[in-house]
C-alpha cells in the first residue's frame, strides 16, 4: 500500500501513551486536523491537557476502555518495555492499531509483537523531525513507517494521512533497514555532538563555516536527553558497530598524521 493512497479524511480517536514534548508536538497537529485525543502518562499532565482540550487519564485501564481506534506509544526508548508490560491489554474494547513513534524501530517492533494481543495491528513509525525542525510545518520532512501487521487497511491509511496531508515525505521501509541507516546518520550525529560537548567546544571570533556547523551539531545534540542518546545506542544493534568504526577511523587518522610528521621530520610528533 502506498502512503499516498487516496483516502477520505477520517476523524480518529487516538490514545497517546507518554505525553512528553514530542507527543505534545504531534498531538497539536492531530487536534488541528480534528482528531480526538486521549492521553495517559506516568507524569501528571492533567493541567496541560485541560488547557489543550485533551482528556487525560491517570489510570491506564480507564484509558484503554475509552474506546481508542489508535494507540500511539511515545515513551522513552529505555522505558518502553516496562511501560508495555504494564498495559492491561484485557481492557481494550476493540482490535486496536498500535503505532510507535520511537527513534529506534526493531526494539519496539519486537516488544509490541511479543506483548500485545494478536488481533491488534502494528504500525512502526519514525517522524524524522521534532518541535524545532517542524515548528514551521511538516512539509518536505520525512516520515518513515513500516506496516508490520496491518489488517485494517483503511484505519492505517487514515493515520498515515495525518502526516501525508501535512506534506511529509512518506518513506516506507523495514524496521531493520531504518535502524541500519539511523545508526549511520542519527546515532553518529548524536555521538559527534556529545564528543564536542565533552570537549566544551564553543564559538570563536575566527570561526569558519565548517566549525559553525560543528557547533550547531553540538548544540542540537545536547538539547536531547542523554536517555535518548543512550537508547539510540543500547537498542539499535547497528550502533555498536558505528561506534567501533568511529574509534577505528580516529586511530587511522592519527596514524596518518604521525606518519606524515615522521616523513617531514617534524618534532611535533613527540607531542602525540
Amino acid at each position: 500500500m502506498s502512503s499516498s493512497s487516496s483516502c477520505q479524511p477520517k476523524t480518529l480517536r487516538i490514545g497517546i501513551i507518554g505525553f512528553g514534548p514530542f507527543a505534545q508536538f504531534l498531538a497539536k497537529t492531530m487536534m488541528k486536523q480534528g482528531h480526538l485525543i486521549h492521553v495517559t502518562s506516568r507524569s501528571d499532565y492533567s493541567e496541560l491537557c485541560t488547557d489543550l482540550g485533551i482528556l487525560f487519564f491517570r489510570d491506564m485501564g480507564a484509558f484503554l476502555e475509552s474506546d481508542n481506534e489508535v494507540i500511539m506509544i511515545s515513551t522513552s526508548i529505555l522505558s518502553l518495555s516496562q511501560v508495555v508490560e504494564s498495559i492491561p491489554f484485557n481492557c481494550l474494547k476493540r482490535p486496536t492499531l498500535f503505532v510507535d513513534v520511537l527513534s529506534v524501530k526493531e526494539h519496539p517492533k519486537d516488544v509490541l509483537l511479543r506483548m500485545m494481543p494478536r488481533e491488534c495491528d502494528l504500525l512502526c513509525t519514525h517522524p524524522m523531525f521534532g518541535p524545532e525542525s517542524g515548528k514551521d510545518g511538516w512539509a518536505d520532512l520525512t516520515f518513515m513507517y513500516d506496516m508490520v501487521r496491518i489488517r485494517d487497511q483503511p484505519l492505517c491509511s487514515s493515520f498515515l494521512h495525518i502526516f501525508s496531508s501535512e506534506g511529509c515525505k512518506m518513506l516506507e521501509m523495514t524496521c531493520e533497514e531504518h535502524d541500519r541507516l539511523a545508526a549511520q546518520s542519527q546515532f553518529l550525529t548524536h555521538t559527534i555532538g556529545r564528543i564536542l560537548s565533552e570537549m566544551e567546544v564553543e564559538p570563536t571570533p575566527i570561526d569558519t563555516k565548517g566549525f559553525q556547523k560543528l557547533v550547531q551539531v553540538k548544540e542540537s545534540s545536547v538539547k536531547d536527553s542523554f536517555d535518548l542518546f543512550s537508547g539510540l545506542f543500547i537498542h539499535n544493534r547497528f550502533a555498536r558497530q558505528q561506534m567501533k568504526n568511529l574509534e577505528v577511523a580516529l586511530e587511522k587518522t592519527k596514524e596518518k598524521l604521525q606518519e606524515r610528521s615522521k616523513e617531514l621530520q617534524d618534532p611535533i610528533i613527540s607531542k602525540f
Side-chain angles (χ1 to χ4, degrees):
M1 184 190 78
S2 169
S3 63
S4 59
S5 298
S6 60
C7 63
Q8 292 299 320
K10 179 181 184 298
T11 299
L12 296 174
R13 294 187 299 278
I14 302 173
I16 301 177
I17 299 177
F19 203 53
F22 185 61
Q24 295 167 27
F25 163 69
L26 295 179
K28 288 176 183 177
T29 294
M30 292 174 176
M31 291 187 66
K32 181 190 70 175
Q33 295 180 0
H35 301 294
L36 181 64
I37 307 297
H38 296 159
V39 166
T40 188
S41 191
R42 289 185 296 181
S43 299
D44 186 358
Y45 290 103
S46 54
E47 185 173 342
L48 172 62
C49 287
T50 298
D51 292 341
L52 294 174
I54 293 173
L55 196 56
F56 181 78
F57 293 84
R58 290 294 296 168
D59 180 71
M60 179 73 79
F63 166 79
L64 293 181
E65 290 173 351
S66 64
D67 202 24
N68 301 296
E69 296 170 283
V70 179
I71 292 181
M72 189 177 80
I73 298 179
S74 184
T75 66
S76 70
I77 299 170
L78 297 180
S79 67
L80 175 71
S81 293
Q82 181 182 1
V83 171
V84 175
E85 285 174 355
S86 72
I87 297 175
F89 289 105
N90 59 296
C91 294
L92 288 171
K93 288 185 171 293
R94 62 166 67 226
T96 306
L97 171 62
F98 279 82
V99 179
D100 93 273
V101 292
L102 275 64
S103 297
V104 297
K105 294 274 58 77
E106 285 191 310
H107 175 57
K109 171 187 172 182
D110 294 343
V111 169
L112 286 163
L113 284 179
R114 186 172 70 251
M115 297 184 183
M116 72 182 193
R118 292 183 179 274
E119 61 268 21
C120 290
D121 285 356
L122 176 60
L123 177 68
C124 288
T125 78
H126 185 192
M128 306 295 296
F129 50 90
E132 184 62 29
S133 56
K135 63 183 178 182
D136 296 322
W138 299 356
D140 299 322
L141 300 176
T142 300
F143 181 85
M144 170 271 163
Y145 67 98
D146 183 4
M147 295 187 291
V148 177
R149 185 169 72 197
I150 300 297
R151 285 157 295 199
D152 190 337
Q153 294 283 355
L155 180 58
C156 180
S157 293
S158 293
F159 183 82
L160 291 174
H161 188 263
I162 293 171
F163 297 88
S164 63
S165 65
E166 294 293 325
C168 288
K169 177 184 175 183
M170 306 297 286
L171 183 60
E172 185 174 9
M173 66 171 56
T174 66
C175 292
E176 178 182 7
E177 180 69 1
H178 169 277
D179 283 2
R180 185 182 68 81
L181 294 176
Q184 297 175 12
S185 58
Q186 186 183 27
F187 173 71
L188 189 58
T189 301
H190 275 263
T191 302
I192 296 298
R194 290 285 170 174
I195 291 171
L196 294 173
S197 177
E198 290 293 334
M199 295 173 63
E200 300 183 348
V201 167
E202 297 293 342
T204 77
I206 55 171
D207 288 356
T208 62
K209 292 294 185 181
F211 184 75
Q212 289 173 0
K213 291 179 180 178
L214 284 178
V215 173
Q216 290 173 2
V217 168
K218 183 210 74 169
E219 292 177 347
S220 175
S221 297
V222 297
K223 282 181 181 178
D224 291 315
S225 69
F226 194 77
D227 275 356
L228 171 61
F229 181 49
S230 300
L232 294 176
F233 178 73
I234 295 169
H235 290 298
N236 184 342
R237 60 191 174 97
F238 299 99
R240 290 169 177 78
Q241 186 59 52
Q242 286 300 316
M243 185 67 83
K244 291 178 182 177
N245 293 347
L246 182 62
E247 292 169 349
V248 169
L250 180 59
E251 284 303 313
K252 285 185 176 179
T253 302
K254 182 178 176 180
E255 289 171 5
K256 289 180 179 179
L257 289 173
Q258 290 173 330
E259 291 171 1
R260 179 55 58 90
S261 294
K262 287 179 181 179
E263 291 172 2
L264 299 176
Q265 296 182 335
D266 192 333
I268 199 172
I269 185 64
S270 62
K271 296 182 181 181
F272 275 74

